[in-house]
């Protein structure tokens, strides 16, 4: 029989017996994103007598991200009064203290990158993290955009074992779309939201050097070396680096590097506290079609066992392997979260419940 790791609670902060609930945190973030609403709330409090408020409830095992998304779509905004909002923020203090000045590498992709409402949430979450002293680095791909432009120029996308076959003509489109269009679009969105983003690709500052992975795949690369000097200078000065995953080989030839792989290599090289992969699934599940079977925490050994047993299969294998490799190289924890769930990035970093599967050493 397949062995499934027994469920256990996520590691707590050690600073408080109470924990921030996912819904409460999402509500606070939503309210912070709407200044007029906050001002109206303040005016109401000043005009009304003190109201009896309920304490923030201890977090229980969280509902699958699918349920959170359904509630959000149904308009369940988990309204809180002002005292509850500040209580939630106070509960987040241990996490803010723990990760202040720490680097978090976020791989951005999937539906969260194509759905405009989800994209808006992710951008604002990144800016919020940067504002409170956490140092995010955003690493992105852009598969759907690339496919769209390939069709516009009459090139049919081809894949081999899940990897894009990248001939010279395709590589030209990949670099143009990732570096020139997708990257600069994300930079603009972050800057308009109040952040200070700087766009770059793996070529800049020799950040990512690589070699051809497989001649049959064309200019698809494996990372051979990482130089984090430019990234370190950017995050230390309060900027948010936005990295397109185009590397180059020793001759200067552009290489298309898998975004998960690039994020893992960057996280390990810069000594990140967390590597977060945003996907279109809740995390690692024992049944990929049932979000209720989500495994909240795995060790490296448990992850390898589940791959061997066939529980982790298909497209989840390279993501888990990427996480395992980054942890083996020094990253403290790696996370696979559902980018479709509202504010999943903040929930993973600032609450004890988390938002997906955490993999540790």
């Amino acid at each position: 029989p397949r062995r499934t790791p027994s469920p256990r609670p996520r590691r707590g902060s050690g600073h408080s017996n109470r924990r921030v609930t996912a819904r409460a945190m999402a509500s606070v973030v939503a309210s912070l994103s709407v200044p007029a609403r906050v001002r109206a709330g303040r005016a109401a409090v000043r005009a009304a007598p003190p109201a009896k408020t309920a304490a923030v409830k201890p977090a229980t095992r969280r509902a699958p991200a699918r349920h959170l998304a359904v509630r959000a779509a149904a308009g369940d905004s988990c309204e809180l009064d002002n005292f509850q909002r500040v209580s939630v923020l106070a509960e987040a203090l241990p996490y803010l203290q723990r990760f202040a000045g720490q680097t978090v590498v976020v791989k951005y992709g999937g539906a969260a990158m194509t759905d405009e409402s989800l994209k808006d949430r992710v951008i604002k979450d990144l800016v919020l993290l940067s504002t409170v002293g956490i140092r995010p680095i955003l690493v992105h791909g852009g598969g759907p955009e690339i496919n769209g432009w390939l069709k516009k120029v009459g090139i049919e996308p081809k894949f081999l074992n899940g990897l894009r076959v990248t001939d010279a003509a395709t590589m030209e489109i990949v670099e143009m779309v990732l570096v020139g269009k997708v990257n600069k679009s994300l930079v603009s969105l972050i800057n308009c939201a109040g952040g200070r983003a700087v766009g770059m690709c793996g070529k800049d500052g020799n950040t990512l050097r690589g070699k051809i992975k497989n001649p049959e795949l064309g200019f698809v690369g494996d990372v051979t070396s990482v130089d984090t000097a430019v990234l370190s200078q950017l995050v230390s000065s309060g900027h948010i680096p936005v990295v397109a995953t185009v590397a180059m080989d020793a001759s200067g030839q552009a290489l298309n590097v898998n975004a998960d792989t690039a994020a893992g290599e960057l996280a390990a090289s810069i000594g990140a506290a967390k590597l977060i992969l945003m996907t279109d699934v809740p995390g690692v599940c024992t049944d990929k079609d049932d979000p209720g079977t989500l495994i909240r925490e795995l060790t490296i050994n448990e992850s390898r066992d589940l791959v061997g047993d066939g529980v982790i299969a298909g497209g989840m294998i390279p993501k888990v392997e990427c996480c395992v490799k980054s942890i083996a190289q020094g990253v403290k924890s790696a996370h696979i979260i559902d980018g479709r769930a509202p504010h999943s990035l903040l929930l993973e970093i600032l609450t004890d419940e988390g938002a997906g599967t955490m993999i540790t050493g």
Side-chain angles (χ1 to χ4, degrees):
R2 293 176 175 174
R3 185 180 66 79
T4 302
S6 57
R8 56 182 180 269
R10 299 289 289 265
R11 295 190 175 112
S13 65
H15 293 277
S16 172
N17 291 325
R18 295 184 299 167
R19 292 179 294 178
V20 181
T21 65
R23 295 180 66 197
M25 176 61 75
S27 177
V28 169
V29 172
S31 68
L32 291 177
S33 301
V34 188
R37 186 176 175 188
V38 175
R39 289 195 294 270
R42 287 174 178 167
V45 168
R46 294 189 185 104
K52 184 177 180 180
T53 56
V56 178
K57 296 180 180 180
T60 56
R61 185 175 180 83
R62 68 190 179 288
R66 177 184 64 178
H67 297 166
L68 290 174
V70 168
R71 286 201 292 267
D76 182 0
S77 60
C78 184
E79 293 292 341
L80 303 177
D81 61 32
N82 289 330
F83 180 79
Q84 288 174 312
R85 288 193 182 101
V86 297
S87 295
V88 171
L89 291 175
E91 289 290 342
L93 178 61
Y95 301 94
L96 296 174
Q97 291 173 323
R98 181 194 301 177
F99 296 114
Q102 298 289 311
T103 299
V104 175
V105 175
V106 179
K107 181 267 179 174
Y108 181 46
M113 197 169 180
T114 57
D115 184 287
E116 291 302 318
S117 62
L118 292 176
K119 183 186 293 186
D120 181 65
R121 290 193 185 107
V122 173
I123 295 301
K124 288 180 178 177
D125 290 353
L126 281 169
V127 173
L128 190 152
L129 292 174
S130 178
T131 301
V132 298
I134 297 171
R135 299 175 171 181
I137 296 174
L138 187 66
V139 179
H140 69 86
E145 287 269 11
I146 293 171
N147 291 340
W149 279 93
L150 287 174
K151 290 180 181 179
K152 287 181 181 181
V153 299
I155 300 176
E156 186 67 26
K158 297 178 182 178
F159 294 87
L160 178 64
N161 298 324
L163 296 174
R164 184 185 300 277
V165 176
T166 309
D167 57 18
T170 301
M171 187 65 237
E172 186 175 358
I173 299 297
V174 168
E175 186 170 12
M176 178 188 74
V177 173
L178 288 186
V179 181
K181 187 175 187 299
V182 176
N183 186 269
K184 300 314 173 190
S185 172
L186 292 172
V187 167
S188 296
L189 289 172
I190 293 173
N191 290 341
C192 288
R196 294 196 298 162
V198 175
M200 58 183 292
C201 73
K203 287 183 173 183
D204 298 317
N206 285 319
T207 300
L208 292 174
R209 284 293 191 102
K211 65 178 181 180
I212 289 179
K213 183 183 186 72
N214 179 347
E216 293 184 14
L217 293 171
F219 297 111
V220 173
D222 276 333
V223 176
T224 56
S225 67
V226 180
D227 187 333
T228 61
V230 173
L231 289 175
S232 297
Q233 291 176 18
L234 288 173
V235 296
S236 64
S237 61
H239 291 86
I240 302 175
V242 181
V243 185
T245 54
V246 174
M248 69 176 186
D249 64 14
S251 67
Q253 169 64 48
L255 298 175
N256 182 21
V257 177
N258 176 271
D260 292 335
T261 301
E265 294 289 347
L266 289 172
S269 297
I270 205 168
K274 286 179 179 287
L275 166 66
I276 300 177
L277 305 182
M278 301 188 76
T279 68
D280 289 340
V281 294
V284 177
C285 298
T286 55
D287 180 353
K288 65 182 179 64
D289 298 319
D290 181 6
T293 64
L294 174 68
I295 303 174
R296 297 176 61 186
E297 186 174 351
L298 289 169
T299 64
I300 288 179
N301 289 335
E302 288 169 345
S303 300
R304 288 170 175 163
D305 289 343
L306 290 177
V307 171
D309 293 342
V311 176
I312 296 175
M316 185 58 69
I317 292 178
K319 294 184 183 299
V320 170
E321 289 178 342
C322 167
C323 292
V324 168
K325 183 178 179 181
S326 68
I327 293 168
Q329 293 177 324
V331 176
K332 296 180 179 65
S333 64
H335 309 259
I336 300 173
I337 69 173
D338 191 345
R340 302 167 300 176
H343 304 296
S344 57
L345 185 58
L346 293 185
L347 294 174
E348 181 53 63
I349 297 174
L350 300 181
T351 74
D352 196 49
E353 293 177 280
T357 298
M358 176 169 70
I359 301 176
T360 61

